[in-house]
Each structure stands twice: as C-alpha cells, then as structure tokens.
Amino acid sequence: MARYRLHHSLGRRAVVRQLFRWTKRHFSDHQRCRHQKLSDAMLLALPLARLIFKHPYPSIWWSLLREGRPGLPSYTQAHVRGTRLLTHLEAIATPARPCAEVVIDSMPLPICRPKRGKRCAFPGATWGFETQGQVVGYKLHAWVSSTGNILHDLVRPANFHDATIGHELNRRWPEFGGPKIIGDKGSCGLGFVFAPKKNTRYDTGWREDRHPKLRKRIETVFSQLVEAQIRSVQTKTLVSLRLRVVLAVLAHNLAQP
C-alpha cells in the first residue's frame, strides 16, 4: 500500500483521486444500473477521504462533498450501499502477510457514557473495563506491526477478556508466518511475550532494550485512530460500527509509508 501513501498537504480532490486508484483495484468502477449515481469504488473513496482529513462527522462531510458534486446520492443511500460492501471490505482490509513479530492490544469503542448505560439500547453493547474505568460498548482488538500497520483486528463486546480474543486472533496466526506476539501483562499464560510481573518465576521473553518501544508503537496507532474519530458515537447498529472501524483501519494503513 506504500504507493498509495497520502500527504496531508494535498487538496481534497487530489486525496480522493489517490484513494480511487486503490479502491478500483478491489471494487467495481462501473455503475451497475442506469439510476446508480456512483460506482462502488468512488463510493468508498469518498468516506475514506474523510478519515484522512480527520473530519469528525460523516453526515456533515457528505454534505460538504455534495456542494461540489451535485450528482452524489444522499448520505443514507451511500451508507446503505457501504454496509452491503462490508464483508468484502473486511476481507481486503487486513490481508495476510509474513511478519516476524506483532504487537497485540485492545482499545475501547464506547457507545455512550457510563451514566447512560442503563438506558443504552445498542444491540450487543455490554459493560466492560479499561485503564480509565468502565466503558459501555465494544472493544477493538488488533495486531500491529513494528512499522505501524494494522495487520488483523476484531470488534467484540466490551466484557470479553483480552485473553479470550487473543485466542480468536490466533486463528490467523499461520497465515502470517507464525510471528512472535508481544502483549502486556494481561497476556500472561497465552504463550505471548509480555512484561514480567513481580511474582513471575520464568523468562517471559521480554527484553527491556527492545519490547517497550514496540509496545509504544501500538499505543501510537490507537491514538491516531482516536484522532480520526473512530470513537464517534454517531452509530446505531453493530454493522455501522464495523463499517466505521474497517474504514478507519483502511485509511490508516493507506496513509502509512
């Protein structure tokens, strides 16, 4: 994806053109019927551009685009078509690639504030805990490479333990060439490399001269996703949340050198 690297100094049209170069490799560049206003490739390039420019609200971003492109469909129509492409998007967002080591961690995707949790009607949202306290919603679990690319990710309810999702992420472990997985202290007992606790009596593989820098890499990636408004609560269904996450992952990986 390095050839599609985006520069923030480019204008909106230039960024959309570069994203369109990538999307038309994986999606149709032709309108399927006479009344269709956009091809699938252009339909995905436009919301990806929003995440590159870190615009917080997708509906307002679409309204700004319609000012310069009167032929665009409504935001509701574009969103419905985007959800139909979700399965294909998730399949191409994190392709398998050989790597020597990956860093694993999770970040919360809150649906509402904890004080509104009892009235939350979001399907599947649960209570969970993070480093800053309680969270109502979901969590994003991810593998990140040493260069900052998101290699594999899953969205699961917030009450799922990281160890449980660690086993689920490991299902694709052979596809990546069996990399060494570097986790935190919550990853003990999974065969991962992690920082030893005070009562640890065996070598966990942790090396102070290398692994803390790799752990900082995934924290930086999560901060970039938060800056791209991945936690915006303009979401009503799990499908919409998954679409928001996969677009954020794609935009992040495309912007990497």
Side-chain angles (χ1 to χ4, degrees):
M1 295 183 179
R3 59 180 296 198
Y4 302 100
R5 181 178 52 175
L6 303 167
H7 300 276
H8 295 283
S9 59
L10 296 178
R12 187 171 65 188
R13 291 183 179 273
V15 170
V16 170
R17 281 197 299 268
Q18 290 197 34
L19 289 170
F20 180 63
R21 286 172 50 202
W22 182 85
T23 54
K24 69 181 181 180
R25 292 177 54 205
H26 304 278
F27 297 90
S28 173
D29 186 24
H30 303 284
Q31 299 177 4
R32 299 182 180 179
C33 51
R34 183 176 301 177
H35 67 272
Q36 197 175 61
K37 298 180 180 180
L38 280 180
S39 64
D40 291 343
M42 181 57 73
L43 184 76
L44 293 174
L46 295 177
L48 282 172
R50 177 186 71 85
L51 294 164
I52 296 297
F53 288 103
K54 297 180 174 56
H55 195 283
Y57 303 109
S59 58
I60 297 178
W61 170 261
W62 198 260
S63 299
L64 293 175
L65 291 176
R66 295 189 72 183
E67 292 179 359
R69 300 169 178 257
L72 289 181
S74 66
Y75 173 71
T76 302
Q77 293 173 334
H79 179 73
V80 170
R81 285 184 58 190
T83 57
R84 293 173 182 170
L85 301 172
L86 177 60
T87 303
H88 190 192
L89 270 173
E90 291 178 335
I92 66 174
T94 55
R97 65 185 73 175
C99 52
E101 53 189 5
V102 297
V103 189
I104 186 173
D105 208 345
S106 63
M107 64 174 289
L109 298 174
I111 300 303
C112 63
R113 296 182 181 274
K115 65 180 180 180
R116 301 179 182 270
K118 295 182 179 180
R119 303 193 300 271
C120 180
F122 194 97
T126 58
W127 286 84
F129 293 90
E130 57 166 334
T131 55
Q132 297 178 354
Q134 290 184 327
V135 59
V136 181
Y138 289 80
K139 281 185 178 181
L140 172 65
H141 304 260
W143 284 356
V144 174
S145 68
S146 58
T147 58
N149 287 286
I150 300 175
L151 302 175
H152 187 19
D153 66 280
L154 289 174
V155 177
R156 293 295 182 265
N159 63 345
F160 279 37
H161 195 275
D162 290 354
T164 303
I165 310 303
H167 283 291
E168 191 172 352
L169 287 169
N170 281 351
R171 293 176 182 175
R172 295 190 63 191
W173 186 70
E175 301 178 18
F176 291 89
K180 183 184 296 183
I181 303 176
I182 303 167
D184 52 12
K185 292 183 179 181
S187 303
C188 60
L190 293 177
F192 299 166
V193 175
F194 65 93
K197 300 180 180 180
K198 292 183 180 180
N199 60 348
T200 302
R201 299 180 180 275
Y202 60 92
D203 183 14
T204 64
W206 184 266
R207 301 294 179 264
E208 290 292 339
D209 59 340
R210 173 171 176 76
H211 294 139
K213 296 180 180 179
L214 292 177
R215 290 293 309 171
K216 186 177 180 181
R217 171 66 65 180
I218 194 170
E219 300 295 341
T220 302
V221 170
F222 284 167
S223 298
Q224 292 171 347
L225 292 178
V226 172
E227 188 179 0
Q229 305 299 326
I230 194 175
R231 288 182 180 174
S232 177
V233 295
Q234 280 192 336
T235 307
K236 301 300 181 183
T237 63
L238 179 57
V239 174
S240 299
L241 179 62
R242 288 168 53 196
L243 180 62
R244 178 186 295 275
V245 169
V246 72
L247 289 175
V249 169
L250 273 172
H252 173 82
N253 287 342
L254 289 171
Q256 293 300 306

